[in-house]
């Protein structure tokens, strides 16, 4: 890995810059796909499946029998593991459910918020080498807790673990379609695919571009996406082989994965560098991981404050604090998606089973965005109820403000009511 | 107003369709403005102020003296009204602040979420005839509660009530710039205007297009915007003059305001129609309001269930339930921004002072989006801490799942730690 020692603050921005994704060209390729699905529905989906995936689809929907059959194709211990992950994720997320608290802001003026599940949501799970059934759990469980009525899943993968997880989280319908066209189908609806109000899930650049473009047309999306990232802050209390394994976990996601280690210990980072080389060769995905490791950085800094400042500037998706005073440092982090404390909290536990969500803001979005949670699956509708006494208490305030904003009809809506009570 | 009696369900979609906003042309005009601000900073802002607003700006920042002086230009009763609104909005929003709750999902596996204020946020308040100081409160108060460190305001208006409200909510800097270029300045930062991570506030189509375009480049925005809307459901227990005043409050916002009344009572809607005509003529903004009223609709339906279904399909920004059983009906609404219950809860109370937020999802976005709240100003960072016993408890689950997803390095990050404890 590339070691950079004690850079000036003025160099940080450049050092921390992520590769810029040129989306314009991809958007130009995706737009006609969206348009065609909008106009031709299922016919377009069949055509794209044949063109891009070389498969002829006769029936988009995965049958209940196929989903039920998945269970028998998985080992008992994997099913138990998935069930354990389900339990932990459910336990953590269910505490996010809020009951309305009524606030009386003035006598006779009562206000509250009620969380209501988004009626129709859609999940996308990509195909490819890694069947991301863990993402089915991470999206499906909070949607289940939020009581979203319709929860559909589109995936070109027919991996039994995906179907098994889909059944566990109560997905209402599963469709065997993929790519930008699957996103378009959920946004617009087709003869077979129901239209949804919010779309979640990872995907390649075409899928990402489709989500971004469609979000301008009314459908909501989970968050803007970019390559996955980990940053680690470590000191001499950390274990080099553990940290190396965490950096490699990130690196194996793909050549564009972002990996960063900051430390004040020269001795430690040398040991990590050695451990990375040692572990890398034993990985099945070593070619991918090696490319990501080549682009990754180890940055040596003078003191912990510099480390904290740099991490807050970088705003990593995942942040591992393998330092002795991890609680103290954790308190100072203001920009990160999810934080892993101490030597025995590898990122992979959060990826699968600790209970926190693994759909997190990448690409610096952690400055303004949160990861997926039950909040992502509800709207919070505000309510207010004002009594006769209440309108007499609040009325004059509203009249004066409406008048000062030159909105006379707003004022009269209050005046009329007050007059009716005072006459 | 246009009365439509007992339409078929198949006609609803057409009836409830909002005017489509053609943004492509506006985006083409806005893009070069954004580009120029990005490249030339303050110089571009000065040029645009001269070109679009015909003013020569020498100093972008409004001085503390100017802000302090605003107080003396407002009447005592208006200041008291603003203070009262501040108190109510603060009381309602402060209850939204969450303290972290630690969840132990398995023995030795502790997870929690911590709300952290977005470090830098920017507000835009348009100029024009109505000085929207109420919006300064609606954005500034939750930002204050969320403890966002830097909270800047851009507005072409120098209305003293805006400055007074800005001071109340602790805006850190106020800048006298407007239009799409102000949004660009906050997104990119210039020599004078600090870069922010999230931009809030209303504006014309250029401002809206700028926000939408810049949100693709990394800055977050409050929500997609469209013309303001009210829907009213009323029965014979409602007061026609009250309902008429509510419809007109919405109509006076502009010719593109969306106004909808649904009812099962023919007698009632005739009375409202009459009252609207009577009240309209006495409004100073009657020309604007008359245009909106012309495009607005009264829909007569067979029964309350039809009303509820239609309202949920429409997903109004504001919904007034002027029906006898408003609590029961309120429970059945799943798509709305803010709901006003009963005869003495006009929308204008929520616009100014009841305590709820008035920045709400328009254009059907209430199906998937919530209005602004303290949530809009924080990120919820997840934390996890796993003990040695914890990794032994959860480790096997993670190993199995990582292996099934073909992510070997993820598995090894756990295996290494478990082996170190078991050897």
């Amino acid at each position: 890995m590339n070691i950079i020692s004690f850079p000036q603050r003025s160099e940080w921005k450049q050092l921390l810059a992520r590769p810029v994704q040129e989306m314009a060209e991809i958007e130009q390729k995706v737009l006609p796909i969206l348009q065609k699905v909008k106009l031709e529905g299922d016919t377009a989906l069949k055509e794209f499946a044949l063109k891009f995936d070389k498969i002829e689809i006769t029936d988009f929907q995965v049958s209940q029998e196929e989903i039920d059959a998945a269970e028998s194709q998985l080992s008992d211990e994997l099913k138990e593991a998935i069930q354990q992950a389900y339990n932990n994720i459910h336990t953590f997320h269910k505490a996010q459910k809020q009951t309305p608290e009524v606030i009386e802001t003035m006598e006779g003026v009562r206000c509250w918020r009620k969380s209501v599940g988004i009626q129709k949501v859609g999940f996308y799970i990509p195909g490819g080498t890694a069947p991301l059934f863990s993402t089915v759990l991470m999206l499906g469980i909070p949607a289940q807790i939020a009581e979203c009525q319709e929860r559909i899943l589109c995936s070109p993968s027919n991996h039994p673990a995906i179907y098994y997880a889909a059944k566990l989280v109560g997905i209402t319908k599963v469709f065997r379609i993929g790519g930008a066209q699957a996103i378009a189908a959920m946004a617009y609806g087709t003869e077979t695919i129901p239209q949804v109000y919010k779309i979640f899930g990872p995907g390649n650049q075409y899928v990402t571009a489709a989500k971004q473009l469609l979000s301008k047309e009314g459908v909501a999306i989970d968050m803007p996406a970019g390559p996955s990232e980990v940053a680690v802050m470590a000191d001499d209390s950390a274990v080099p082989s553990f940290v190396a394994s965490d950096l490699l976990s990130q690196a194996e996601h793909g050549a564009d994965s972002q990996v960063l280690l900051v430390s004040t210990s020269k001795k430690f980072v040398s040991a990590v560098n050695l451990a990375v080389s040692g572990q890398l060769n034993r990985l099945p995905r070593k070619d991918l991981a090696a490319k990501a490791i080549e682009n990754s950085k180890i940055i040596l800094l003078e003191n912990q404050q510099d480390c904290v400042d740099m991490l807050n500037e970088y705003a990593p998706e995942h942040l591992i604090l393998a330092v002795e005073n991890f609680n103290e440092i954790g308190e100072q982090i203001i920009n990160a998606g999810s934080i892993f404390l101490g030597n025995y909290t590898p990122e992979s536990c959060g990826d699968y089973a600790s209970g926190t969500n693994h759909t997190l803001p990448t690409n610096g979005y952690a400055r303004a965005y949160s990861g997926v949670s039950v909040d992502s699956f509800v709207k919070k509708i505000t309510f207010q109820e004002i009594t006769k006494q209440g309108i007499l208490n609040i009325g004059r305030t509203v009249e004066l403000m409406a008048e000062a904003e030159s909105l006379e009809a707003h004022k009269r809506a209050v005046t009329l009511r007050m007059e009716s009570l005072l006459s």
Side-chain angles (χ1 to χ4, degrees), chain A residues 167-181:
Chain A
K167 191 174 173 183
L168 262 187
V169 302
I171 294 291
T172 48
K173 284 175 181 168
V174 181
F175 299 97
R176 52 181 121 250
I177 53 173
Q181 61 273 26

Side-chain angles (χ1 to χ4, degrees), chain A residues 2 4 15 119 121 125-126 136 139 152 163 166 184 194 234 258 267 289 294 303 333 350 353 368 378 380 405 416 422:
Chain A
N2 198 356
I4 297 128
L15 272 177
Q119 209 181 343
V121 295
I125 302 292
V136 180
L139 300 176
I152 69 168
Y163 291 168
Q258 304 290 303
K267 186 179 121 218
E294 246 174 60
N303 51 53
I333 299 298
V378 298
K380 294 182 184 171
E405 286 194 355
L416 267 177
L422 296 171

